[in-house]
Short mmCIF file of all heavy atoms in Angstrom, two decimals:
data_model
loop_
_atom_site.label_atom_id
_atom_site.label_comp_id
_atom_site.label_asym_id
_atom_site.label_seq_id
_atom_site.Cartn_x
_atom_site.Cartn_y
_atom_site.Cartn_z
N GLY V 263 -5.70 7.22 17.65
CA GLY V 263 -4.60 7.58 16.75
C GLY V 263 -4.67 6.84 15.44
O GLY V 263 -5.49 5.93 15.26
N ALA V 264 -3.79 7.24 14.53
CA ALA V 264 -3.72 6.56 13.24
C ALA V 264 -2.29 6.58 12.73
O ALA V 264 -1.50 7.47 13.06
CB ALA V 264 -4.64 7.24 12.21
N GLY V 265 -1.98 5.56 11.93
CA GLY V 265 -0.69 5.49 11.26
C GLY V 265 -0.98 5.32 9.78
O GLY V 265 -1.64 4.36 9.38
N LEU V 266 -0.53 6.27 8.98
CA LEU V 266 -0.89 6.26 7.56
C LEU V 266 0.34 6.26 6.67
O LEU V 266 1.26 7.05 6.85
CB LEU V 266 -1.73 7.50 7.23
CG LEU V 266 -2.99 7.74 8.07
CD1 LEU V 266 -3.64 9.07 7.68
CD2 LEU V 266 -3.97 6.58 7.92
N ASP V 267 0.31 5.36 5.69
CA ASP V 267 1.37 5.34 4.67
C ASP V 267 0.82 5.79 3.32
O ASP V 267 1.57 6.01 2.38
CB ASP V 267 1.94 3.91 4.55
CG ASP V 267 3.17 3.84 3.64
OD1 ASP V 267 4.00 4.77 3.67
OD2 ASP V 267 3.30 2.85 2.89
N VAL V 268 -0.52 5.88 3.23
CA VAL V 268 -1.19 6.19 1.96
C VAL V 268 -2.32 7.18 2.20
O VAL V 268 -2.85 7.27 3.31
CB VAL V 268 -1.74 4.90 1.31
CG1 VAL V 268 -0.61 4.00 0.83
CG2 VAL V 268 -2.62 4.13 2.31
N TYR V 269 -2.70 7.91 1.14
CA TYR V 269 -3.62 9.04 1.28
C TYR V 269 -4.65 9.01 0.16
O TYR V 269 -4.36 8.57 -0.95
CB TYR V 269 -2.81 10.35 1.28
CG TYR V 269 -1.76 10.28 2.34
CD1 TYR V 269 -0.50 9.71 2.06
CD2 TYR V 269 -2.05 10.59 3.65
CE1 TYR V 269 0.44 9.52 3.06
CE2 TYR V 269 -1.13 10.40 4.67
CZ TYR V 269 0.12 9.86 4.36
OH TYR V 269 1.02 9.64 5.37
N GLU V 270 -5.82 9.55 0.46
CA GLU V 270 -6.91 9.49 -0.51
C GLU V 270 -6.56 10.23 -1.80
O GLU V 270 -6.88 9.75 -2.88
CB GLU V 270 -8.20 10.06 0.10
CG GLU V 270 -9.38 9.92 -0.83
CD GLU V 270 -10.71 10.25 -0.19
OE1 GLU V 270 -10.75 10.62 1.01
OE2 GLU V 270 -11.73 10.12 -0.90
N PHE V 271 -5.91 11.37 -1.68
CA PHE V 271 -5.61 12.17 -2.87
C PHE V 271 -4.10 12.34 -3.06
O PHE V 271 -3.61 13.43 -3.33
CB PHE V 271 -6.31 13.54 -2.77
CG PHE V 271 -7.79 13.42 -2.57
CD1 PHE V 271 -8.37 13.69 -1.33
CD2 PHE V 271 -8.61 13.01 -3.62
CE1 PHE V 271 -9.75 13.57 -1.14
CE2 PHE V 271 -9.99 12.88 -3.44
CZ PHE V 271 -10.56 13.16 -2.20
N GLU V 272 -3.38 11.26 -2.88
CA GLU V 272 -1.93 11.28 -3.00
C GLU V 272 -1.44 12.03 -4.24
O GLU V 272 -2.00 11.80 -5.32
CB GLU V 272 -1.45 9.82 -3.13
CG GLU V 272 -0.56 9.39 -2.02
CD GLU V 272 -0.36 7.88 -2.01
OE1 GLU V 272 0.51 7.40 -2.74
OE2 GLU V 272 -1.09 7.21 -1.27
N PRO V 273 -0.42 12.89 -4.16
CA PRO V 273 0.38 13.19 -2.96
C PRO V 273 -0.21 14.26 -2.04
O PRO V 273 0.45 14.66 -1.08
CB PRO V 273 1.69 13.69 -3.57
CG PRO V 273 1.28 14.35 -4.85
CD PRO V 273 0.10 13.58 -5.36
N GLU V 274 -1.43 14.73 -2.32
CA GLU V 274 -2.05 15.70 -1.40
C GLU V 274 -2.43 14.97 -0.10
O GLU V 274 -2.85 13.83 -0.13
CB GLU V 274 -3.32 16.30 -1.99
CG GLU V 274 -3.16 17.00 -3.33
CD GLU V 274 -2.12 18.09 -3.30
OE1 GLU V 274 -2.04 18.80 -2.27
OE2 GLU V 274 -1.37 18.22 -4.28
N VAL V 275 -2.27 15.70 1.00
CA VAL V 275 -2.66 15.16 2.30
C VAL V 275 -3.56 16.21 2.95
O VAL V 275 -3.27 17.41 2.83
CB VAL V 275 -1.41 14.91 3.18
CG1 VAL V 275 -1.81 14.47 4.59
CG2 VAL V 275 -0.50 13.87 2.53
N ASN V 276 -4.64 15.79 3.55
CA ASN V 276 -5.52 16.71 4.24
C ASN V 276 -4.68 17.61 5.17
O ASN V 276 -3.98 17.12 6.06
CB ASN V 276 -6.55 15.92 5.04
CG ASN V 276 -7.64 16.79 5.60
OD1 ASN V 276 -7.37 17.79 6.27
ND2 ASN V 276 -8.88 16.43 5.31
N GLU V 277 -4.74 18.92 4.96
CA GLU V 277 -3.91 19.89 5.70
C GLU V 277 -4.02 19.70 7.21
O GLU V 277 -3.05 19.86 7.94
CB GLU V 277 -4.35 21.31 5.36
CG GLU V 277 -3.65 21.91 4.14
CD GLU V 277 -2.13 21.91 4.26
OE1 GLU V 277 -1.61 22.33 5.33
OE2 GLU V 277 -1.47 21.49 3.30
N GLU V 278 -5.22 19.39 7.66
CA GLU V 278 -5.46 19.25 9.10
C GLU V 278 -4.63 18.12 9.70
O GLU V 278 -4.23 18.18 10.87
CB GLU V 278 -6.94 18.98 9.38
CG GLU V 278 -7.85 20.14 9.03
CD GLU V 278 -7.56 21.37 9.90
OE1 GLU V 278 -7.52 21.20 11.13
OE2 GLU V 278 -7.37 22.46 9.33
N LEU V 279 -4.36 17.08 8.91
CA LEU V 279 -3.58 15.95 9.44
C LEU V 279 -2.18 16.38 9.85
O LEU V 279 -1.62 15.88 10.82
CB LEU V 279 -3.49 14.82 8.39
CG LEU V 279 -4.73 13.95 8.16
CD1 LEU V 279 -4.46 12.94 7.06
CD2 LEU V 279 -5.14 13.23 9.45
N TYR V 280 -1.63 17.33 9.10
CA TYR V 280 -0.27 17.80 9.42
C TYR V 280 -0.21 18.45 10.80
O TYR V 280 0.84 18.53 11.41
CB TYR V 280 0.19 18.82 8.38
CG TYR V 280 0.52 18.25 7.02
CD1 TYR V 280 -0.07 18.75 5.87
CD2 TYR V 280 1.47 17.23 6.89
CE1 TYR V 280 0.25 18.25 4.62
CE2 TYR V 280 1.79 16.73 5.64
CZ TYR V 280 1.18 17.23 4.50
OH TYR V 280 1.49 16.74 3.28
#
Side-chain angles (χ1 to χ4, degrees):
L266 305 176
D267 187 38
V268 291
Y269 306 87
E270 184 170 1
F271 304 106
E272 242 167 84
E274 303 304 322
V275 175
N276 190 307
E277 272 304 312
E278 294 295 310
L279 284 178
Y280 288 126

